[in-house]
Amino acid sequence: MKIKPEMVEYIRTMVKGDHEANDRIEAELDAQGWDNFPTLLGAVFYFSVNRRLSPKATAGEIMLFVAEMRAAAPSGSQIDPTAAEKLVRAALDPSIDISVEPQMVGRIQGMTILHILSNPEVTDQDLETLLANSVDASNQA
């Protein structure tokens, strides 16, 4: 499967807070179709979580991360914290089998990506590398 460059740009503008460009790209993707976007979003989520947390993160560390993420999120951003903890754990240990409602998965992934990648410690080069790795992984899926 081939990831559209617009999808990568959509995530990049979302992380950078470029709302005008993000809205424009969203409209383009609405017209073109969002095929394969969930695969890309999942890969960006995976690489983001593994950048932020150790694969040996404890349940308490994951709970604290999710709590910090929820506290930093804009008001009105609602996610299920238990589902978020499960998804983060599964990103750290892909052998874990989980069941979370698909719409909630997307919301959790988006919030997590924003929380991790909008951190000032993440350089433009870090973001580009992570996005490139995510595209590579998605194209192999």
Side-chain angles (χ1 to χ4, degrees), residues 27-98:
E28 289 174 21
L29 288 168
D30 284 344
Q32 295 175 14
W34 290 84
D35 296 343
N36 306 326
F37 185 75
T39 302
L40 176 62
L41 192 67
V44 175
F45 173 77
Y46 170 83
F47 286 113
S48 298
V49 168
N50 279 277
R51 173 187 169 80
R52 173 66 170 73
L53 295 167
S54 162
K56 296 180 182 184
T58 65
E61 289 169 326
I62 292 171
M63 286 174 63
L64 180 59
F65 169 76
V66 169
E68 289 171 353
M69 177 176 68
R70 291 178 66 223
S75 63
S77 299
Q78 296 295 319
I79 62 165
D80 177 344
T82 302
E85 291 165 17
K86 288 178 184 177
L87 278 177
V88 168
R89 171 56 64 205
L92 297 171
D93 181 0
S95 70
I96 294 175
D97 201 18
I98 61 165

Side-chain angles (χ1 to χ4, degrees), residues 126-140:
D126 292 337
L127 177 60
E128 294 310 312
T129 299
L130 188 140
L131 290 172
N133 290 340
S134 298
V135 169
D136 289 345
S138 298
N139 285 332
Q140 294 174 20

Side-chain angles (χ1 to χ4, degrees), residues 3-20:
I3 298 298
K4 296 174 187 174
E6 294 87 353
M7 291 181 182
V8 178
E9 191 61 22
Y10 178 80
I11 293 175
R12 182 182 293 111
T13 58
M14 178 181 72
V15 168
K16 293 291 195 178
D18 186 347
H19 302 291
E20 184 178 316

